Amino acid sequence: MLTMSLSDFEDDSDYNENNGDDDSNAGDSKGGYYEDSAFLDDEKYPPSAVVLELRAARSVLGFDTYAAEDLLESLGKLTNYGGSISRDAWIEWLRKRLRVSSRESGEMVNPEDYELAMLLGESLFDEFDHSQHDTADFSEFVAGLAFLCGGSPVEDKVMVSFTVIDADSDGYISTGEWRQLVYSAMRIITVCSRLASDRVLRLCSAISKKD
């Protein structure tokens, strides 16, 4: 059975040594996300449509400067004994997160953006509500949401996702757990892609009305 440890993701010492990377600049942020890799240079490497969609969703949810570790701790308090989060608890948490994000940025959230954030929040939850009983598995949900956190470098997002998926906390994830992690990330991407499509349709509709 294939297993992977967290060290498989974070051991990049050879890469740094061979490429002459300077760790003194690691963790510096720009535009709400960490510039911890040369590949995050938008001028040299224009972001793909998927990356742009994820950034847009992150901004809508108020996750631009939110750390993955804080997400893990905060949502962990909402978990019931069965290891699930209820829809009502998630929506109330998201409302509070938007208020905090608004205070941090010093900008009021306009009604249209608030409505979009709530719609996105509901859609994200729907993707993880497999039983359609208004509950989502905590581990799967957080493993996916962690990748939207703009206040953490990629390594920290992976660490949080790895930690919640590693059910027995032995430092390794099985093939099944790895598949679960990938599925969680893909569900987030799927919903964010729908958000982008919806925005394009709204824009086209607005242009048509002006004509």
Side-chain angles (χ1 to χ4, degrees), residues 5-13 16 155-156 158-159:
S5 70
L6 187 55
S7 61
D8 293 330
F9 295 94
E10 59 187 13
D11 185 10
D12 57 356
S13 56
N16 291 335
E155 291 87 346
D156 287 358
V158 172
M159 181 187 70

Side-chain angles (χ1 to χ4, degrees), residues 61-91:
L61 294 172
F63 278 25
D64 277 333
T65 60
Y66 199 48
E69 298 92 330
D70 294 337
L71 175 79
L72 173 61
E73 180 180 356
S74 186
L75 288 185
K77 297 176 182 178
L78 306 181
T79 309
N80 59 31
Y81 291 109
S84 299
I85 297 176
S86 72
R87 182 184 298 273
D88 289 343
W90 158 246
I91 293 301

